[in-house]
Amino acid sequence: MGHVFRNEEQRMAVDGFRRFLDKEIEPVVREYRDRYIPKDVMQGIMRKLVQFGIVTGVVSEANGGMGGTGRDWQTSVMLFEELVYSSMDISVVALINTFGAVLLERLAPPAIRERYLPGLLSGDLFLSMGISEPDVGSNVLEIKTRAKRDGDHYVIKGEKTWISNGDYSDMLVCTARTGDDPKRGLTHIFLDRSEHPYESRNIHKIAGNSQSTAQIFLDDVRVPVANVIGGEGEGLKNTLGLFELSRVYVAVQGLGVARRALDEAVKYAKERRQHGKVIAGHQLISAMLADMATRVDAARLLIARAADMIDAGIPAEMEAAMAKYYATEAAVKVARQAVQIHGGNGVTTEFLVEKLAREAIILPIPEGTSQIQQLIIGRALTGVAAF
Ligand SMILES: Cc1cc2nc3c(=O)[nH]c(=O)nc-3n(C[C@H](O)[C@H](O)[C@H](O)COP(=O)(O)OP(=O)(O)OC[C@H]3O[C@@H](n4cnc5c(N)ncnc54)[C@H](O)[C@@H]3O)c2cc1C
């Protein structure tokens, strides 16, 4: 698997989860290949995953999670890597619910946290994070969705796009403009879909269509001021704080996809025969496999360093950006090489590498594109912002 376990408890947690995924999740993933997984089926999956530390592993026991029993970011990224290895789609749902749970635990008013965090931890509820808009991607400062104050309520109007979990979502953390100052005018507002209704429409993508990525329409939705998360005007600061963690998770998505592509390529190279021997015996194939394996492990090491720093409470903005940048670009390269090793079979839907290559292409985009990660790394090196 490539993990470097720190202790026996970590090994048992990851091995046990791997066995569960092979037995119970892989068949579902095969059944729904490129098809939308209905919400009740996804709920059933999430209810099982949370028992292994997915979503729950980064929330403290005091708030109903499994954190504090040896489960930490380091262990959490290992578990998450195993999930991605089996399914990028399901990992997206888990990723968003995980960071929703982190946000609710750390920043939500107690009334919101106590009411909604248990549902995320049990796998019953789904959350979405709405930052991006049709005209707002890399530059979060340009958010246009407005939350106008009306007594003790906000009235929210705007459109969000690319929102993971959008159609599934029972709740939305909407980043809205509550003031004109570009940096201090953004606020996170919590919406319960049944009380503060919004519409969603799924977006069809090159891959990742077994889960929901959606447009979200907010048409004068009235939400109590008490639903502000993390303080009015603190939305930008809190988003950037969360990015440090969530980028490491997207890096793990790159790692999981790349590792699966490598394993599929190794298996194929040992079976497929050309010119009188298995293709693994051709030096150019062997070189390609060596290149892929080195990229997979380099990605894992960058992720492990960032997770270690986060566990130690050391700021890791640059290290998280490096992990995200490298691991997601590695996924694109490794998945492409895996297709190449499969020859013609690599582009058919009979083999997994075709799907992995499509999934990999997505990863350098969300949670800050590769270019944005490069700009963050450059700024950390020079102290000069080039954006
Ligand atoms: C599958 C998927 C899931 C997503 N999930 C969510 C979600 O749950 N919630 C959410 O809010 N958003 C989500 N997003 C949106 C995602 O965060 C944005 O797509 C991303 O930030 C890029 O924004 P954009 O697509 O508008 O591209 P743009 O910002 O328009 O960028 C276009 C191109 O220009 C480049 N570029 C932009 N600015 C600069 C610069 N200063 N210097 C150099 N190059 C630059 C970019 O790197 C890119 O190559 C998701 C996106 C995808 C694809």
Side-chain angles (χ1 to χ4, degrees):
M1 281 190 213
H3 300 294
V4 180
F5 295 114
R6 300 275 181 83
N7 52 52
E8 208 38 43
E9 188 187 352
Q10 209 172 44
R11 178 193 300 280
M12 282 167 57
V14 175
D15 285 354
F17 190 42
R18 182 71 260 146
R19 282 194 298 277
F20 162 79
L21 291 167
D22 288 343
K23 186 160 169 269
E24 299 220 16
I25 300 299
E26 292 270 343
V28 182
V29 174
R30 278 195 293 277
E31 183 189 342
Y32 282 97
R33 179 178 169 132
D34 288 324
R35 286 194 304 123
Y36 189 64
I37 300 181
K39 183 170 177 179
D40 59 328
V41 177
M42 193 61 94
Q43 237 166 0
I45 294 170
M46 290 307 296
R47 285 184 185 128
K48 291 179 182 166
L49 295 182
V50 296
Q51 296 171 30
F52 288 88
I54 297 294
V55 185
T56 46
V58 296
V59 174
S60 71
E61 282 179 335
N63 283 313
M66 294 166 80
T69 54
R71 307 268 176 133
D72 41 32
W73 286 97
Q74 197 66 253
T75 312
S76 292
V77 296
M78 288 183 187
L79 293 170
F80 191 61
E81 179 186 330
E82 295 305 321
L83 176 59
V84 181
Y85 186 88
S86 288
S87 171
M88 236 285 280
D89 284 281
I90 298 171
S91 82
V92 173
V93 178
L95 186 154
I96 302 295
N97 280 356
T98 295
F99 289 98
V102 169
L103 199 71
L104 291 192
E105 175 170 47
R106 295 187 183 179
L107 298 174
I112 302 262
R113 188 181 65 227
E114 283 158 22
R115 184 167 168 200
Y116 297 100
L117 186 54
L120 276 179
L121 297 177
S122 64
D124 291 313
L125 296 183
F126 293 77
L127 182 141
S128 280
M129 308 271 241
I131 303 169
S132 306
E133 299 178 359
D135 294 329
V136 184
S138 298
N139 190 1
V140 178
L141 293 180
E142 290 169 357
I143 281 178
K144 293 186 179 64
T145 295
R146 268 271 165 200
K148 271 198 197 148
R149 189 76 183 252
D150 180 19
D152 56 1
H153 281 71
Y154 284 114
V155 180
I156 308 179
K157 192 172 190 59
E159 183 181 334
K160 297 288 177 183
T161 193
W162 304 118
I163 305 309
S164 302
N165 280 356
D167 229 27
Y168 293 143
S169 66
D170 303 289
M171 40 195 165
L172 168 71
V173 177
C174 176
T175 310
R177 184 157 291 292
T178 47
D180 291 330
D181 184 304
K183 288 191 175 162
R184 302 274 308 167
L186 294 175
T187 301
H188 285 325
I189 303 175
F190 181 90
L191 281 74
D192 173 332
R193 195 170 192 167
S194 61
E195 293 175 10
H196 321 113
Y198 52 86
E199 294 295 319
S200 61
R201 188 163 61 211
N202 268 337
I203 301 168
H204 190 78
K205 311 173 295 296
I206 187 173
N209 292 305
S210 294
Q211 47 82 41
S212 167
T213 312
Q215 292 170 285
I216 286 195
F217 304 94
L218 300 137
D219 190 11
D220 288 336
V221 187
R222 285 181 71 79
V223 188
V225 170
N227 281 29
V228 165
I229 292 194
E232 185 172 311
E234 301 292 318
L236 179 67
K237 191 185 87 193
N238 294 332
T239 297
L240 297 180
L242 209 60
F243 271 162
E244 190 173 300
L245 303 170
S246 58
R247 280 178 182 152
V248 177
Y249 260 51
V250 180
V252 178
Q253 291 184 313
L255 168 59
V257 167
R259 182 181 128 206
R260 184 66 182 252
L262 170 65
D263 284 358
E264 297 294 321
V266 166
K267 193 167 66 184
Y268 191 82
K270 284 159 66 180
E271 287 165 2
R272 175 76 176 170
R273 298 183 69 83
Q274 286 298 293
H275 297 99
K277 56 181 172 180
V278 291
I279 60 171
H282 295 300
Q283 290 181 353
L284 296 180
I285 296 290
S286 183
M288 230 190 300
L289 291 171
D291 185 72
M292 293 159 73
T294 306
R295 281 177 208 277
V296 167
D297 275 9
R300 183 178 287 109
L301 290 172
L302 284 173
I303 289 164
R305 178 180 65 169
D308 245 349
M309 290 174 70
I310 291 166
D311 278 334
I314 302 168
E317 188 190 41
M318 182 180 80
E319 291 76 9
M322 284 179 169
K324 201 272 173 181
Y325 171 44
Y326 184 83
T328 56
E329 293 291 347
V332 176
K333 175 120 194 185
V334 170
R336 189 201 171 279
Q337 287 170 309
V339 169
Q340 193 67 14
I341 287 172
H342 279 69
N345 280 333
V347 296
T348 70
T349 52
E350 298 293 306
F351 288 81
L352 189 59
V353 289
E354 170 270 343
K355 180 166 172 260
L356 294 169
R358 287 185 284 115
E359 288 172 343
I361 277 189
I362 294 178
L363 292 172
I365 297 169
E367 228 64 17
T369 63
S370 289
Q371 290 68 42
I372 296 302
Q373 307 308 328
Q374 286 176 305
L375 292 170
I376 292 168
I377 297 163
R379 182 180 61 190
L381 292 173
T382 62
V384 180
F387 60 126

